[in-house]
Every structure is written in structure tokens, then in C-alpha cells.
């Protein structure tokens, strides 16, 4: 009578085991399977630094899968990929973290900082993914509001100021004093698109009206 092989056993580790020693053979088979999995994870970790972006992205997919399965430390590896030189790597890492993380995670402060950095990315898809990550790890958080407000106030690129105003409308708490002040100032921005965005955002960041006023 054959022993039942452990679920998830890879094809290259499948061996027929049976007889009175079937249970012991199954345990040994599970140990072999786990060993190969550890080797694969170590290889993927090492290949995150490969010169070839196509290899790095496959290693990143493996890191994301491990993080989904609760592997300790893999979130940090995905976070580190947000500064990769390849835009596809930055996009995949940022998108994955937006559903892998929330504001209660220990790595949330690092994710908020990385998300603000990606908000300045030259790639529009990366910037869009950064908004999703910032929403996941710190909706209304003061560091996010301050970072976006600084972009509106200090950056020369009008398109970037416009995107930051739009992001404030979605990421700041209603009535946040810093966000409200920045949006009000943006109403006088020299760029027409920024002023239009500020008008649209004003209702999202303005304090609730006094019922007696």
C-alpha cells in the first residue's frame, strides 16, 4: 500500500514509497522538498542583484510569492526593488506592496518613504502605483501629507504639482490643515492645470462646515 505524498511535492522529488517504512520515507521526502524550496528562495534572493533586468524581475516574482506566503524578511526585499534602475521592476514591486502591506506593518514607515520617492518617478505607471501604495500604508498619515505638500510647493514641474494636488485629495484626511492650506495656495498656481486640479480637490480637503455657520 503506497504512502500518500505530501501536498505540493515537486515533480523532481516525487518517489514511490511504500511498505512498512512508507511513513518514514514520506517524512524524508518532505525534508528533501523543503530543502529544494530553500535553495530556490536563496537563488531568487541572490538574482535580485543580477545585471539582467529580465532575471531580476523573475527573482522579484519569487520574492513576492514568498511574501504572500508569509516568509519572514521577503517584504524588505520587495521594498528594496522599488529603487531598481528598471521601471518594470519598480512598477511590479510597488504594485505588489500595495496589496501585501498595510499601515500596521513594521515596514510601513519605509514603505511610505519609498512610495513618496516613487511618486517622483519619470514613469507614469510607477507614479500611479505609488499612489496605491501610499493609500495602503498610510491614508491620512502626516508624513504622506507633508511629502505631497512639499511637492506642490517646491517642484518646478507643473505636471508633478498637479498630480500631487490630485493625490492630496485622495490621501489626506478631510479637514487636514496642511493639505487644505496647500490646495488653497495652489488655486493661484501659475499653471492652469494645477489651478483646475486645486479647484477639484478643494471639496475633498476642506474642513466640514459648521452646521450653525
Amino acid at each position: 500500500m503506497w504512502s500518500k505524498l505530501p501536498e505540493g511535492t515537486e515533480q523532481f522529488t516525487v518517489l514511490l514509497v511504500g511498505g512498512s517504512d512508507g511513513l518514514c520515507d514520506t517524512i524524508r521526502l518532505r525534508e528533501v522538498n523543503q530543502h529544494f524550496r530553500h535553495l530556490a528562495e536563496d537563488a531568487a534572493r541572490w538574482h535580485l542583484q543580477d545585471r539582467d533586468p529580465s532575471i531580476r524581475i523573475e527573482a522579484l516574482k519569487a520574492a513576492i510569492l514568498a511574501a504572500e506566503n508569509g516568509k519572514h524578511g521577503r517584504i524588505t526585499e520587495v521594498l528594496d526593488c522599488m529603487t531598481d534602475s528598471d521601471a518594470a521592476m519598480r512598477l511590479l514591486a510597488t504594485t505588489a506592496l500595495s496589496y501585501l502591506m498595510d499601515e500596521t506593518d513594521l515596514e510601513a514607515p519605509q514603505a511610505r518613504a519609498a512610495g513618496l520617492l516613487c511618486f517622483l518617478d519619470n514613469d507614469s505607471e510607477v507614479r500611479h502605483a505609488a499612489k496605491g501604495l501610499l493609500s495602503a500604508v498610510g491614508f491620512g498619515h502626516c508624513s504622506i501629507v507633508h511629502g505631497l505638500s512639499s511637492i506642490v510647493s517646491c517642484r518646478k514641474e507643473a505636471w508633478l504639482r498637479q498630480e500631487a494636488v490630485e493625490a492630496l485629495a485622495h490621501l489626506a484626511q478631510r479637514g487636514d490643515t496642511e493639505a487644505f492650506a496647500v490646495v488653497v495656495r495652489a488655486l493661484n498656481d501659475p499653471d492652469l492645470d494645477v489651478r483646475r486640479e486645486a479647484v477639484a480637490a478643494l471639496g475633498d480637503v476642506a474642513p466640514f462646515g459648521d452646521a450653525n455657520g
Side-chain angles (χ1 to χ4, degrees):
M1 184 173 181
W2 299 113
S3 303
K4 182 179 179 182
L5 296 175
E7 185 177 352
T9 303
E10 304 294 346
Q11 290 184 356
F12 55 81
T13 65
V14 172
L15 303 171
L16 291 177
V17 294
S20 59
D21 293 332
L23 179 59
C24 293
D25 289 339
T26 300
I27 292 173
R28 285 196 294 271
L29 180 59
R30 184 181 292 112
E31 291 173 350
V32 170
N33 187 36
Q34 290 175 344
H35 174 68
F36 277 108
R37 288 186 184 277
H38 289 318
L39 287 177
E41 290 177 6
D42 289 342
R45 185 179 293 110
W46 186 78
H47 283 300
L48 284 171
Q49 308 301 323
D50 197 277
R51 292 183 179 181
D52 189 332
S54 65
I55 293 177
R56 294 201 305 276
I57 205 159
E58 293 303 320
L60 174 57
K61 290 176 183 178
I64 292 170
L65 180 61
E68 288 174 343
N69 293 328
K71 295 290 185 180
H72 179 70
R74 304 315 293 267
I75 285 288
T76 301
E77 293 176 11
V78 181
L79 273 167
D80 290 341
C81 292
M82 289 179 64
T83 56
D84 193 274
S85 59
D86 183 69
M89 284 282 289
R90 299 194 301 274
L91 176 60
L92 178 59
T94 306
T95 301
L97 289 168
S98 68
Y99 68 81
L100 287 172
M101 298 187 66
D102 61 44
E103 60 184 5
T104 65
D105 289 316
L106 292 176
E107 301 90 349
Q110 182 183 350
R112 287 192 285 268
L116 285 170
L117 184 62
C118 279
F119 193 86
L120 303 174
D121 201 280
N122 290 327
D123 188 289
S124 61
E125 289 185 292
V126 176
R127 295 197 304 274
H128 181 75
K131 295 175 189 176
L133 175 59
L134 292 174
S135 178
V137 297
F139 171 79
H141 195 275
C142 59
S143 65
I144 293 176
V145 172
H146 183 69
L148 293 172
S149 298
S150 296
I151 293 172
V152 177
S153 301
C154 303
R155 297 294 297 209
K156 295 180 179 180
E157 305 93 327
W159 58 268
L160 189 53
R161 297 198 305 275
Q162 179 186 358
E163 289 188 9
V165 171
E166 180 187 15
L168 279 172
H170 294 93
L171 297 176
Q173 294 278 4
R174 179 76 180 268
D176 184 285
T177 54
E178 182 175 16
F180 180 58
V182 167
V183 171
V184 168
R185 287 199 299 271
L187 293 171
N188 296 314
D189 193 277
D191 184 83
L192 176 60
D193 290 331
V194 177
R195 296 198 300 273
R196 285 174 174 167
E197 198 67 59
V199 171
L202 196 59
D204 294 312
V205 298
F208 288 102
D210 187 344
N212 297 321

